[in-house]
Amino acid sequence: VKVIVTNPPFMGKRDMDISLKDFLLKSFPESKGDLCVSFLQRIIQSMNEKDVLGIVSQNNWMYLSSLKDFRKVFLSRQTLRKCVDLGSNAFE
């Protein structure tokens, strides 16, 4: 059993160079080029059934229609056990 605890990197698409954008879109198409969501997708790809993941992340992947395919990938491999929304500026 692995326990993974992380705070994935955040970066807006406008701050990415073209090679990073292309890599993310090609490697993690369900994540739509979002760095944080791509990072999360890569982690769940490496997890086994009994592994546990704890993350501090943006919550956009839970509700944006553009990330519907990512949610399908996530829920096919993981069970969301607990979720806490810290709200805006939680780490200000």
Side-chain angles (χ1 to χ4, degrees):
V1 175
K2 292 183 287 192
V3 176
I4 303 164
V5 180
T6 187
N7 181 356
F10 304 89
M11 178 186 287
K13 290 180 189 177
R14 70 178 179 271
D15 296 324
M16 294 180 194
D17 66 20
I18 192 70
S19 62
L20 178 57
K21 284 181 196 177
D22 288 347
F23 172 78
L24 294 176
L25 289 169
K26 181 180 177 189
S27 301
F28 309 102
E30 299 84 2
S31 297
K32 303 297 183 197
D34 184 297
L35 182 62
C36 179
V37 179
S38 297
F39 194 88
L40 180 55
Q41 186 172 349
R42 178 61 189 106
I43 291 170
I44 65 171
Q45 287 173 346
S46 71
M47 293 175 68
N48 294 318
E49 196 174 291
K50 295 186 180 195
D51 294 343
V52 178
L53 172 63
I55 60 169
V56 175
S57 76
Q58 300 165 302
N59 62 4
N60 64 346
W61 62 270
M62 292 187 227
Y63 61 84
L64 288 179
S65 60
S66 62
L67 293 169
K68 181 174 103 176
D69 291 338
F70 169 75
R71 287 190 295 276
K72 288 179 183 178
V73 169
F74 180 88
L75 292 172
S76 72
R77 297 189 52 104
Q78 298 297 314
T79 299
L80 188 59
R81 294 184 187 175
K82 296 200 190 300
C83 181
V84 177
D85 188 347
L86 299 176
S88 298
N89 304 315
F91 296 102
E92 191 171 330

